[in-house]
Amino acid sequence: MLLPRRSSPAPTRLLSLFLFLVLVVASAQQGHHHHPAGDGVVISQADYQGLQAIRHDLADPYGFLRTWNDTGLTACSGAWLGIKCVLGNVVAITLPWRGLGGSLSQRGLGQLTRLRRLSLHDNDIAGPIPASLGFLPDLRGLYLFNNRFSGAIPASIGGSYQLVFLSLAHNSLDGPIPESLTRLAKLQQLDLSANNLNGSIPPSLDNLTATLQSFNVSYNNLSGAVPPSLARKFGEPSFTGNIQLCGYSASTPCPASPSPAPSVPASPAEGESHGRRKFSTKELILIIAGIVIGVLVLLLLCCLLLCFLTRKKSSGSSTTTAADAAAGRGEKPGSGAAEVESGGDVGGKLVHFDGPLAFTADDLLCATAEIMGKSTYGTVYKATLEDGSLVAVKRLREKITKGHKEFEAEAAVLGRIRHPNLLALRAYYLGPKGEKLLVFDYMPKGSLSAFLHARPPNTPVDWATRMTIAKGTARGLAYLHDDMSIVHGNLTASNVLLDEQCNPKISDFGLSRLMTTAANSNVLAAAGALGYRAPELSKLKKANAKTDVYSLGVIILELLTGKSPADSTNGMDLPQWVASIVKEEWTSEVFDLELMRDAAAGTVGDELMDTLKLALHCVDPAPSVRPEAREVVRQLEQIRPGSDVGAGAGPSEEEGGGAHVPAGDDE
Ligand SMILES: *[C@@H]1O[C@H](CO)[C@@H](O)[C@H](O)[C@H]1NC(C)=O
Ligand SMILES: *[C@@H]1O[C@H](CO)[C@@H](O)[C@H](O)[C@H]1NC(C)=O
Ligand SMILES: *[C@@H]1O[C@H](CO)[C@@H](O)[C@H](O)[C@H]1NC(C)=O
Ligand SMILES: *[C@@H]1O[C@H](CO)[C@@H](O)[C@H](O)[C@H]1NC(C)=O
Ligand SMILES: *[C@@H]1O[C@H](CO)[C@@H](O)[C@H](O)[C@H]1NC(C)=O
C-alpha cells in the first residue's frame, strides 16, 4: 500500500489508500502514534475462532491471508489484513479484489457478533450465502457482489435489521427474493442484479420504497408484476432483463385480465383459507390460534391508541422533537435537518445535512481517497465510497480551525445553505482526536480554472457554455450576499466547480467562519497572489461584497479572454491588460480566439462586447462604482436571455475523464 509522499508537488495523484490511513499518517507526524485498525485490545476468543474458521474455508491462492497467522494477539492490532476491531471485537472485514475462493464459513461468521461491514466483493467465493449473517445485529454493509455464490438468499437476512447496503449482484443465486427483506427498515441500497432469482418481487417490498435510494433486480428470472411504487421510483433500468416481469415501464404492461397474483409463498392463514379443500386438524388449530392472536393484537392497539390520546391531551400539542422534525415529510431542503451518527469504528461524530448521500462514519473513513488539491484550509480528497459513489472530502487543518462548539455552530449554518450554484456541504465529521472533515458533492468536471486553462487541445469551450458559467457564478454570489449575508472573500476560478452539465457551483464560501482569524489573513494574502484581489484590499485587509464583485469581474474577464489572471502580461494584471487594449480601441483583440469563431458564425458579437463592458465595470478600481452581484445577474440575463442551465454540455464533454474511477479500487 502506498503512503502519501508529502513533498510531492503534483497536485493530483492516485494514492489508492484508505482515507483513514491518511488521517493516521498525519496524526502520527504530529507525534501521536496510533495504530490504524486497532485499539490495543486483544481479540475476543469467539471472534478469533470465527476468523480462523473463515480462513479455513476460504481459498487464498495469492497468500493475502498469510498475515492471519499467529495466536491472534495481533489480529486486532492492524496486523491482520482487512480486519478492523473495536474493543476486541471484529467490526469490519474488508478484502475485495483478493482472488479469494472457497466458501464463506457459516459458523465462523456467526461468531463475529459485532460485525458491521463484510466486504468481499470481486473475489471468486462459491457456496451458499451463510444464513448466520442474519444473526448479526450490527451488520450495516454486506458487499458480496461479483463472486460465485449460489443457492437461495437466506430468509434470515431480514434479521440484520441495521443493514443499509446490501449487494449480492453478479453471483449465481437462485430461488425467490425473500419477503423478509421488507423488515430491513434502514435499507438504502439493494442490488440483486445478474443472478438467477425467480418468482415474483414480494408486493410488500414497496414499503421500503421511501428509504431505498437505489434498487436493482435486473438480469434475473423474475416474473409477475413489479410493485408500482418501486416501478415509479426506479424505472426500467432497475428491472430490465427479466423476461417474465411486467409493469415497470410503458412497454411492459401486465396482462389486464385476472392478473396472476404474484405467487409469494404465502402464509397459510391468508393464502388458503378461501380454497375448497378441507383443513387438517393441525391447520384448523393454526387458523384459530391466528384469529385469537389477531384479536389480541387489535385489543392491544386500541389500548395503545387510548394511552397515546390521553398522553397527548395532558402534554399539549407543542412537543415536537428535533428528530420528529427531521423525519417530517414537509421538510424543505435546506431547512436544517441534520442527522447525527455518533461512533463509527474509531469514535467521533458524523453529522449529516439533507442530501442524497448515504454513508456512515465507517464508510467515510474506509473510503478510497485520492488527493485533489491542497489549500490554506487543508487538503481536498476525492473519496470513493464502497457503493461507488463519489464525494469530495476536505480535511481541515486542525491547528487553524475554531474549537468544537463554535465549529459545530458555524457548520450547522453552512449545512443549511442550498442553491443550485453553491456547492452543498453534506456532512461533517469530528474525529476523536480533533480531526475535522467536511463532505461535499463531488463535481466531475473539476474547477473552472482547470476547465479553461488545462484543457486537452481541440476542445474549444463555446460562448454559450461560458455564459452559463458566468451567469451561474453571479447568481450564486448574489444569493450569498443578499440571502445569506456571507462575503466569500476568496472567489477565484479554482473555487468555481463544474457539474456534468457545466453548471457552476461556488465552493469554499463561509469556510472562513470555521477558521481562526490568523488563518483568514493568510487566505487573503494567497488570494491576492492569484490576481483576483481588489486593489483596495491592500489597505483594507477585510473582504466585503464589493471585493467579491471585483473577483467575479476577473472571472468573467477570464471567460472572455481565455487568459489566466495568474499570468501577468507586461507587468499588468488581467483587468489592467484588458483596459489597456480597450483604450487603444483594439477591443476585439482581447477576446479568446475560440470565441471569434462564434462571433463570425452568428450574432454573439454584441453579447461579447456588452459582457466585456459589464466585467470592466465590476473590476473598476473604485469600489463604489462596481455593481452589486444581483445587478450583474440582471445585466447578464439581459445580454443573453434564457436560463441556459444544462446548455453547456457541448463540445468539451470528454473532459470529465476523472469521473470514471472504479469503485473499491484500493490496491
Ligand atoms: C506472520 O505474518 C507476518 C506478516 O506477514 C510475518 O511478519 C510473520 O513472520 C508471520 N509469522 C509467522 C509465525 O509465520
Ligand atoms: C413492511 O411490511 C412487512 C409486512 O408486510 C413488515 O414486516 C415490515 O416491518 C415492514 N417494513 C417497514 C420498513 O415498514
Ligand atoms: C424457481 O426455480 C426453482 C429451481 O431453481 C424451482 O424449483 C422453482 O419452482 C422456481 N420457482 C418459480 C416460482 O418459478
Ligand atoms: C426461468 O424460469 C422458467 C420457469 O419459471 C424456466 O423455465 C427457465 O428455464 C428459467 N430460465 C433460466 C435462465 O433460469
Ligand atoms: C442494474 O444492474 C445491472 C447489472 O448489474 C447493470 O448493468 C445496470 O446498470 C444496473 N442498473 C442500475 C439502474 O443501476
Side-chain angles (χ1 to χ4, degrees):
M1 221 177 280
L2 293 170
L3 290 178
R5 270 177 285 163
R6 307 203 115 217
S7 56
S8 166
T12 307
R13 140 159 307 162
L14 190 63
L15 289 172
S16 302
L17 80 175
F18 293 138
L19 185 55
F20 182 65
L21 284 186
V22 179
L23 301 183
V24 168
V25 168
S27 55
Q29 294 201 344
Q30 289 160 14
H32 320 282
H33 186 77
H34 192 268
H35 211 286
D39 49 14
V41 180
V42 172
I43 190 169
S44 79
Q45 194 60 24
D47 285 56
Y48 174 64
Q49 286 166 357
L51 289 181
Q52 291 292 19
I54 288 169
R55 186 189 177 186
H56 178 268
D57 287 5
L58 287 174
D60 178 27
Y62 304 102
F64 285 113
L65 302 184
R66 249 178 254 150
T67 51
W68 297 19
N69 60 4
D70 52 24
T71 53
L73 281 175
T74 63
C76 278
S77 72
W80 286 29
L81 184 71
I83 300 300
K84 276 211 297 175
C85 300
V86 168
L87 300 175
N89 292 119
V90 176
V91 296
I93 300 182
T94 311
L95 291 165
W97 305 99
R98 307 288 171 183
L100 299 172
S103 63
L104 200 48
S105 167
Q106 149 96 354
R107 188 172 59 84
L109 275 174
Q111 302 266 69
L112 307 178
T113 50
R114 299 264 73 91
L115 195 67
R116 293 167 174 223
R117 162 201 291 272
L118 180 61
S119 175
L120 294 169
H121 62 83
D122 295 283
N123 280 293
D124 209 21
I125 306 171
I129 307 270
S132 53
L133 281 172
F135 303 101
L136 304 180
D138 293 344
L139 197 65
R140 304 232 188 114
L142 183 56
Y143 305 90
L144 299 178
F145 54 94
N146 276 327
N147 276 287
R148 294 197 292 128
F149 288 106
S150 58
I153 300 174
S156 64
I157 199 89
S160 292
Y161 57 88
Q162 296 277 7
L163 264 181
V164 177
F165 305 102
L166 173 57
S167 177
L168 307 175
H170 292 273
N171 280 291
S172 304
L173 300 169
D174 56 28
I177 297 177
E179 196 168 9
S180 63
L181 289 185
T182 58
R183 286 157 56 199
L184 301 175
K186 297 188 177 173
L187 200 61
Q188 290 176 4
Q189 303 195 357
L190 177 61
D191 192 351
L192 304 175
S193 63
N195 281 289
N196 297 323
L197 302 173
N198 68 359
S200 61
I201 299 176
S204 57
L205 209 57
D206 62 0
N207 68 357
L208 296 183
T209 306
T211 58
L212 279 175
Q213 288 169 3
S214 77
F215 179 84
N216 197 344
V217 292
S218 55
Y219 303 103
N220 277 289
N221 197 7
L222 298 167
S223 52
V226 171
S229 68
L230 284 177
R232 265 195 307 278
K233 181 156 179 181
F234 298 107
E236 182 152 11
S238 294
F239 302 98
T240 187
N242 292 283
I243 298 165
Q244 301 177 70
L245 202 59
C246 66
Y248 56 86
S249 69
S251 56
T252 58
C254 291
S257 53
S259 60
S263 59
V264 184
S267 65
E270 263 235 38
E272 284 164 28
S273 58
H274 298 298
R276 296 251 172 82
R277 68 191 190 82
K278 292 185 177 101
F279 298 116
S280 69
T281 347
K282 240 189 192 169
E283 281 172 326
L284 267 177
I285 290 175
L286 272 178
I287 289 171
I288 291 169
I291 290 172
V292 169
I293 290 175
V295 169
L296 284 178
V297 166
L298 258 176
L299 277 174
L300 192 73
L301 275 178
C302 287
C303 283
L304 280 177
L305 196 68
L306 254 157
C307 288
F308 179 71
L309 285 178
T310 43
R311 274 234 336 239
K312 201 164 181 190
K313 242 182 215 162
S314 63
S315 65
S317 57
S318 62
T319 48
T320 319
T321 66
D324 290 341
R329 284 236 216 102
E331 198 68 39
K332 279 195 212 132
S335 56
E339 186 194 315
V340 181
E341 184 202 336
S342 59
D345 293 352
V346 289
K349 176 179 179 187
L350 178 69
V351 178
H352 274 280
F353 302 109
D354 73 285
L357 301 172
F359 52 84
T360 61
D362 297 348
D363 292 326
L364 186 62
L365 299 177
C366 293
T368 314
E370 171 188 339
I371 290 189
M372 292 201 291
K374 292 186 182 188
S375 71
T376 328
Y377 292 134
T379 307
V380 189
Y381 301 88
K382 173 169 111 184
T384 308
L385 301 177
E386 183 118 30
D387 63 346
S389 56
L390 298 168
V391 291
V393 178
K394 185 164 244 163
R395 179 172 195 250
L396 299 175
R397 293 205 318 193
E398 284 143 46
K399 293 212 176 107
I400 60 169
T401 49
K402 288 181 173 159
H404 265 210
K405 261 220 178 105
E406 261 185 296
F407 176 91
E408 292 206 69
E410 296 287 4
V413 174
L414 295 182
R416 275 203 289 272
I417 301 178
R418 293 290 180 266
H419 183 276
N421 299 112
L422 297 175
L423 188 70
L425 173 64
R426 297 298 182 190
Y428 66 84
Y429 173 78
L430 292 179
K433 293 199 300 288
E435 311 92 308
K436 295 187 180 73
L437 304 180
L438 301 179
V439 182
F440 298 95
D441 289 342
Y442 174 72
M443 290 294 121
K445 285 203 148 106
S447 75
L448 172 60
S449 180
F451 182 73
L452 276 183
H453 309 304
R455 270 181 285 162
N458 296 321
T459 52
V461 179
D462 64 14
W463 175 235
T465 305
R466 295 183 198 221
M467 199 57 168
T468 300
I469 296 171
K471 278 189 197 171
T473 309
R475 281 191 201 113
L477 189 64
Y479 182 83
L480 269 189
H481 285 177
D482 298 351
D483 298 79
M484 303 274 69
S485 307
I486 287 179
V487 169
H488 191 295
N490 190 20
L491 185 65
T492 68
S494 308
N495 280 334
V496 174
L497 307 180
L498 302 176
D499 74 6
E500 202 59 76
Q501 281 80 40
C502 284
N503 296 306
K505 311 232 179 207
I506 299 176
S507 72
D508 263 15
F509 57 86
L511 288 195
S512 56
R513 303 165 67 125
L514 306 174
M515 304 294 160
T516 58
T517 334
N520 288 321
S521 38
N522 286 340
V523 170
L524 273 186
L530 286 169
Y532 294 91
R533 183 180 153 164
E536 72 270 20
L537 275 174
S538 51
K539 285 178 244 147
L540 227 77
K541 296 270 190 271
K542 195 160 167 24
N544 56 43
K546 292 289 184 180
T547 63
D548 275 354
V549 168
Y550 182 95
S551 309
L552 176 64
V554 176
I555 289 176
I556 299 177
L557 286 179
E558 201 169 346
L559 286 164
L560 285 168
T561 62
K563 285 194 185 313
S564 164
D567 320 325
S568 68
T569 312
N570 301 332
M572 289 181 279
D573 66 16
L574 186 57
Q576 289 166 339
W577 177 77
V578 172
S580 74
I581 293 192
V582 171
K583 208 169 171 185
E584 301 290 332
E585 309 213 346
W586 296 335
T587 306
S588 64
E589 302 290 312
V590 302
F591 297 117
D592 194 335
L593 278 181
E594 289 172 7
L595 294 178
M596 299 324 290
R597 277 185 245 167
D598 289 309
T603 54
V604 304
D606 288 347
E607 293 182 18
L608 293 178
M609 290 305 291
D610 291 346
T611 310
L612 180 64
K613 276 186 214 153
L614 176 60
L616 285 173
H617 203 178
C618 293
V619 297
D620 197 293
S624 59
V625 176
R626 295 176 206 149
E628 307 280 333
R630 184 65 60 195
E631 175 63 15
V632 179
V633 174
R634 204 188 59 78
Q635 292 199 27
L636 285 172
E637 272 161 3
Q638 223 167 40
I639 293 169
R640 190 182 173 91
S643 76
D644 29 334
V645 169
S652 20
E653 194 61 67
E654 59 271 28
E655 287 244 53
H660 310 291
V661 173
D665 176 17
D666 52 3
E667 268 327 309

